[in-house]
């Protein structure tokens, strides 16, 4: 890892088992370790999507045959500031404003203060978009691009 000044623990909304809204708990968890091809994002805004209950209830895990470790941090969209980068990441630097796709991320989603995300699922915030706008963009952008590709 090139630089990491992040704390050792973070606040997050996580689940200890699949379930309804009652499964969501505010928890203090370790900040995820950054792998060589990952970016550690300090999450400043997280998108909340219509698909979030499906994830919380285990629907995505069953469909994609994904076995998360519990506690599992939910959240599929997020934006913020790069806190650290893995040793093989050259496209990003600490301090960059970015957004990323965190659905089914094995190291946790965007309902936390930090997320370690594969660098190819992270992009710089374009143009004059705010971090709040970018935080809701990943799933919508991927869906729109998929529709254009299919058409």
């Amino acid at each position: 890892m090139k630089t990491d000044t992040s704390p050792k623990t973070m606040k997050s909304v996580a689940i200890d088992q699949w379930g309804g809204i009652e499964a969501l708990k505010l928890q203090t968890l370790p900040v995820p370790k950054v792998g060589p091809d990952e970016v550690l994002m300090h999450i400043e805004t997280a998108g909340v999507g219509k698909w979030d209950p499906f994830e919380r209830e285990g629907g995505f895990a069953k469909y994609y045959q994904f076995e998360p470790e519990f506690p599992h941090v939910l959240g599929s969209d997020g934006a913020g500031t790069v806190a650290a980068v893995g040793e093989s990441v050259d496209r990003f630097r600490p301090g960059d404003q970015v957004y990323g796709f965190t659905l089914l991320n094995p190291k946790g989603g965007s309902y936390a203060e930090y997320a370690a995300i594969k660098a190819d699922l992270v992009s710089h915030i374009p143009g004059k978009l705010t971090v709040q706008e970018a935080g809701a963009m990943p799933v919508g952008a991927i869906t729109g691009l998929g529709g254009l590709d299919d058409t």
Side-chain angles (χ1 to χ4, degrees):
M1 189 166 27
K2 295 177 182 177
T3 305
D4 188 357
T5 58
S6 58
K8 301 295 180 222
T9 62
M10 64 180 181
K11 296 284 187 205
S12 64
V13 173
I15 58 174
D16 293 318
Q17 63 186 20
W18 303 123
I21 198 164
E22 73 284 347
L24 296 170
K25 303 243 184 313
L26 181 61
Q27 299 187 30
T28 300
L29 297 173
V31 171
K33 301 261 186 258
V34 180
D37 60 345
E38 295 177 330
V39 170
L40 182 66
M41 184 193 313
H42 176 240
I43 304 288
E44 296 170 36
T45 185
V48 177
K50 184 177 181 174
W51 50 88
D52 288 355
F54 188 67
E55 180 186 10
R56 185 188 65 236
E57 294 164 358
F60 283 120
K62 183 176 179 182
Y63 183 80
Y64 290 106
Q65 299 178 349
F66 171 73
E67 293 289 333
E69 290 185 25
F70 291 104
H72 177 64
V73 178
L74 301 172
S76 53
D77 298 312
T81 305
V82 173
V85 297
E87 57 207 30
S88 65
V89 176
D90 293 325
R91 224 169 37 124
F92 302 102
R93 305 244 180 288
D96 288 353
Q97 293 284 286
V98 295
Y99 68 101
F101 179 68
T102 56
L103 181 65
L104 299 181
N105 183 9
K107 294 187 178 181
S110 59
Y111 289 4
E113 292 180 291
Y114 291 90
I117 311 165
K118 296 284 186 195
D120 61 353
L121 297 176
V122 176
S123 294
H124 289 95
I125 295 176
K128 295 182 181 181
L129 284 183
T130 67
V131 71
Q132 291 82 12
E133 292 164 334
M137 193 168 65
V139 172
I142 289 169
T143 303
L145 285 172
L148 288 172
D149 285 346
D150 292 347
T151 301

